[in-house]
Amino acid sequence: MMKRWQAVKRLLPLLAVFSLLLSGCGREDLSALNPQGPVAEGQLGLIKLSIAIMTLVVIVVFAIGIYVLIKFRRKKGQNEVPEQVEGNHKLEIIWTAIPLVLVIVLAIPTIQQIFAYGDGPNDWKDKNALQVKVTAHQFWWEFEYPQYEGLKTAQELLIPVDKKIALELKTADVLHSFWVPALAGKMDTNTDGTINHMSLSTPKPGTYIGKCAELCGPSHGFMEFRVKAVEPEDFEKWVEANKAPAVLPEDKQLAEKFKTNCLSCHAVGDQGGFSAPNLTGIGSRETIAGILLNDTNGAKGSKPVKDNLVEWLKDPKGVKPGNLMPAPKDLGFSDEEIEQIADYLANYKLEY
Ligand code: HEC
Ligand SMILES: [Cu+2]
């Protein structure tokens, strides 16, 4: 008895440290406990229901346990072995039936919600839904809007409020998982070529943080994205703004260098490729590379867009280890040219 207590005493500080560590994981902006749309609300409801049922079970089991411990403890002077009881049909039926009932109570709303909020493939065909094809890459997110020809963006999924957003999810490389805690649960991007669907919506304009929820490589922890919900008129304005012809650096020589070295992977406007994030209007986005916070919406710890661009361009792998962008200096860009490119990109904004 004494020994056991000592072991517990030794474990307690460890548990305290763990809970302290875990409390560091609590980011309010990345919490499923603060839902901002119907899907996340329904999911929180299920979390609450299952916690309630489990709490009830714990209370009842502990109460019975404590009652039995007290009632049937050995009395003073009681030396004979008590009557040994083996099996009791009535009790066994009861404690099989109760969990079954509890599981059914949990299953009914769960199944209801799955179908109410997750009719993925049908939502995709829903004419009133905004379709977005999501492609996960190590370590960035690509968003394509097939209902708007040629419209593609990266790291920041712009959506109109009060509209069903139907997502089709796939990966370009390894297994990732799309997760915007405030709006909806996770959905994997499969590596076997199969496509997953999910949908979400929100009535509230705002920026919701998303994260890759499947360990996918050295920069998995930095694989963040933003879902930015705006009024429908603003969304249409953004769509129009994206159609503007490509803006290139004013300096002719720099523009050529940018075209040959950067647009082999990236796109601006109607020029370039799509093996890397579309840079159109990057100056008005809320992050660089999904993780360096721009001061476009005054977020805590944010910096001017240009500073973040310089930080990224000076050392992309320093910001996100293992990512696939070559360092511009290895492509022959001087520090001065990096500054100029950062300046150009920071001023490449979309009005909406
Ligand atoms: C071989 C392809 C490739 C080339 C060439 C390349 N990049 Fe990239 N770039 C990438 C990839 C991939 C990412 C995404 C990295 C990540 O977030 O994991 C990226 C990210 C970026 C970002 C952040 C994008 C965002 O959405 O926030 C900027 C800015 C950028 N590159 C600028 C440049 C510039 C300027 C050049 C030319 C000097 C260049 N890149 C050359 C592949 C490339
Ligand atoms: Cu990932």
Side-chain angles (χ1 to χ4, degrees), residues 178-189:
F178 179 93
W179 189 34
V180 194
L183 298 182
K186 302 165 189 169
M187 185 63 84
D188 280 2
T189 60

Side-chain angles (χ1 to χ4, degrees), residues 20 63 111 173 200 304 319 344:
L20 206 70
I111 292 170
D173 37 55
L200 51 83
V319 177
Y344 143 69

